[in-house]
Amino acid sequence: MSMLLSKWEPFKELKEMEERFNHMFPKVSELESSLVDFSPAVNTREGDYAYHVEVDLPGVKKKDIKVEVKDNRLLISGERKEKKETKKDNYQRIESSYGKFERSFSLPDGVDGENVKASCDDGVLEVTIPKLEKTKAGKQIKVD
């Protein structure tokens, strides 16, 4: 009598069940990704008189964006609460995406943190951080 040996895999059935579930409901992972926090894309550039930070925030309303300068850092945070609804004669579809974000940047030396300006247009936030004017002429110090 010969005995066949097979490798015992305790989680094999669980793995197969997960694969079947993912095959039957592929949209579950997309739904989960829309509920988690997101990290918006950021572009930075230096101009002659200021630094510019542009943040892509599609679906984020101005009232849900917070920009502050604290401890020599630029902090940008907010929340996306987007809901799209489509109604046709024989169906209705509602898609929602939510998520909080927070980005922070160390400010370089020589910036005017008191006069930072921010504006948002078409889902793009632009933060302008002016540079302090450099004095070219030296300053004479009186000796007492």
Side-chain angles (χ1 to χ4, degrees):
M1 175 191 283
S2 72
M3 180 185 251
L4 295 174
L5 296 176
S6 63
K7 184 178 177 184
W8 182 57
E9 296 179 41
F11 297 105
K12 182 179 179 183
E13 288 180 31
L14 188 60
K15 180 83 172 146
E16 289 172 356
M17 185 174 74
E18 180 183 22
E19 288 172 2
R20 285 193 306 269
F21 182 80
N22 287 337
H23 180 70
M24 290 176 8
F25 302 103
K27 299 282 184 192
V28 170
S29 60
E30 292 174 20
L31 175 63
E32 287 174 353
S33 69
S34 70
L35 295 175
V36 297
D37 295 344
F38 72 101
S39 182
V42 175
N43 293 316
T44 59
R45 62 184 165 83
E46 180 179 359
D48 292 336
Y49 303 102
Y51 294 94
H52 302 272
V53 178
E54 294 175 350
V55 185
D56 290 334
L57 298 173
V60 180
K61 296 178 181 169
K62 287 181 189 181
K63 67 179 182 69
D64 295 326
I65 300 170
K66 182 178 179 183
V67 178
E68 62 183 320
V69 174
K70 185 177 182 181
D71 299 328
N72 206 35
R73 297 188 68 75
L74 173 66
L75 306 167
I76 302 170
S77 61
E79 187 172 4
R80 176 173 57 186
K81 304 173 198 170
E82 187 175 26
K83 187 173 186 178
K84 295 179 185 176
E85 189 170 341
T86 305
K87 290 184 180 182
K88 298 274 182 167
D89 293 335
N90 56 354
Y91 76 91
Q92 177 179 356
R93 181 173 86 181
I94 300 172
E95 294 182 41
S96 301
S97 91
Y98 300 90
K100 293 182 180 184
F101 67 91
E102 185 174 301
R103 300 290 305 260
S104 71
F105 307 90
S106 295
L107 294 175
D109 293 333
V111 298
D112 184 359
E114 297 296 318
N115 291 303
V116 173
K117 296 195 181 337
S119 63
C120 189
D121 190 34
D122 291 332
V124 177
L125 172 71
E126 181 172 2
V127 180
T128 304
I129 308 150
K131 294 179 181 180
L132 291 171
E133 290 185 33
K134 295 180 183 177
T135 55
K136 293 183 180 181
K139 180 179 179 184
Q140 187 170 358
I141 309 298
K142 181 180 175 186
V143 178
D144 290 329

